[in-house]
Amino acid sequence: MRKKIVAGNWKMNLDYHEGLSLFSEIINMINDEVTGRQEAVVCSPFIHIHSLAHLAKHYTKISLGAQNAHQAESGAFTGEISAKMIKSVGATYVILGHSERRQYFGESNKLLAKKTDTALKNGLKPIFCIGETLQQREANQYFDIIKSQLDEGVFHLGETEFSELVLAYEPVWAIGTGVTASSDQAQEIHAFIRREIAAKYNQDIADATTILYGGSCTPKNAPDLFAQPDIDGGLIGGASLKSRDFVDIVKVFNL
Ligand code: PGA
């Protein structure tokens, strides 16, 4: 059975104190209410991670992640944060290739391939995001776009490295818009991604890869999405900023 994961992406929201207070609510609820083997992940801004990791020390169902990492190991890159630094404060995951990074910071598949290598080398598990824009969907190019994001971003990895990855399918037109992909639309792409992984590596690796859905996921639509055979959880933006909503989405996987 592959791992079920619900990851919150706080983006550039919440100051330090607000972040700590939200996280305290989340871990208490998770501790009391989560009865399955699913993992909750909170991807906060960098400055929160160390303190959140401290708070989460005795909670096994919750892990931490960052939202970006630099491709270089270290050096003269003023203002940047390395994978090693992120790992050293207690994070397990790092989101790479989010469409906002691709769109506003010009991150290409080639750059993201380097970021993936550096994150893995430093013991972080990338949550690697892929997905098409509305224009690409309407032009029926979405399978090609997703295939090239996989080919150029992560398919250079060897089997062992690839097995550390979590993938997230996030159609750009569904992010923060309130428009969710239907569970059929999402399942179609998730099954396609899994077939591509099987073709590149093998069926065992494809079956073991956790593939998350992201884009206007809420407690209301999560049960239907997560019931699809190839959807293994979610990457949650807006709803991860409300403890009740986030934990309710995590609880979709309760036994
Ligand atoms: P959203 O964001 O849930 O607010 O649509 C998802 C994401 O960007 O990861």
Side-chain angles (χ1 to χ4, degrees):
M1 264 292 269
R2 53 186 170 257
K3 203 183 225 180
K4 308 295 184 193
I5 296 176
V6 175
N9 174 9
W10 286 3
K11 309 193 180 183
M12 196 175 75
N13 292 298
L14 308 176
D15 71 19
Y16 179 73
H17 306 285
E18 293 164 340
L20 255 61
S21 128
L22 174 65
F23 191 74
S24 303
E25 289 172 23
I26 290 173
I27 48 177
N28 287 324
M29 287 180 185
I30 285 186
N31 195 44
D32 294 344
E33 301 173 29
V34 170
T35 57
R37 296 181 56 171
Q38 70 272 43
E39 183 176 1
V41 181
V42 167
C43 298
S44 71
F46 293 123
I47 57 155
H48 299 67
I49 299 174
H50 183 242
S51 300
L52 302 191
H54 190 72
L55 285 176
K57 218 162 44 192
H58 302 297
Y59 295 82
T60 50
K61 287 173 180 150
I62 189 146
S63 309
L64 293 159
Q67 301 168 18
N68 178 35
H70 198 266
Q71 64 276 18
E73 287 289 342
S74 64
F77 301 102
T78 302
E80 290 296 319
I81 304 278
S82 74
K84 187 174 177 200
M85 293 171 195
I86 295 166
K87 178 75 184 174
S88 74
V89 290
T92 311
Y93 293 93
V94 59
I95 297 173
L96 293 178
H98 191 280
S99 63
E100 288 151 16
R101 302 278 334 160
R102 292 177 186 264
Q103 187 182 345
Y104 305 135
F105 302 93
E107 296 194 358
S108 63
N109 291 330
K110 198 170 157 210
L111 174 74
L112 292 167
K114 284 195 203 138
K115 289 193 173 205
T116 301
D117 292 343
T118 309
L120 286 167
K121 232 164 115 190
N122 285 282
L124 287 175
K125 293 174 190 292
I127 299 175
F128 193 91
C129 302
I130 55 183
E132 80 286 359
T133 62
L134 183 60
Q135 204 186 14
Q136 290 161 339
R137 174 155 284 260
E138 285 173 345
N140 260 325
Q141 295 166 336
Y142 48 107
F143 289 111
D144 291 343
I145 292 294
I146 286 160
K147 185 167 168 22
S148 64
Q149 289 171 336
L150 289 168
D151 279 342
E152 295 166 27
V154 292
F155 277 178
H156 63 289
L157 297 171
E159 290 185 4
T160 319
E161 294 169 304
F162 186 85
S163 303
E164 294 295 312
L165 286 192
V166 172
L167 293 175
Y169 168 59
E170 296 207 305
V172 179
W173 46 274
I175 295 177
T177 57
V179 180
T180 320
S182 70
S183 48
D184 288 346
Q185 279 173 324
Q187 167 58 24
E188 180 189 36
I189 302 292
H190 281 237
F192 170 72
I193 294 168
R194 209 176 297 287
R195 283 198 302 276
E196 289 296 310
I197 300 169
K200 170 69 194 176
Y201 297 96
N202 59 55
Q203 194 61 47
D204 285 351
I205 290 185
D207 288 341
T209 304
T210 297
I211 309 177
L212 310 180
Y213 167 79
S216 299
C217 192
T218 63
K220 214 164 154 207
N221 58 36
D224 195 26
L225 286 160
F226 298 175
Q228 300 302 312
D230 289 296
I231 302 183
D232 308 310
L235 182 54
I236 320 297
S240 75
L241 297 171
K242 296 186 196 118
S243 53
R244 184 70 273 158
D245 283 1
F246 181 63
V247 175
D248 281 348
I249 299 173
V250 176
K251 281 167 65 182
V252 171
F253 288 112
N254 271 0
L255 297 173

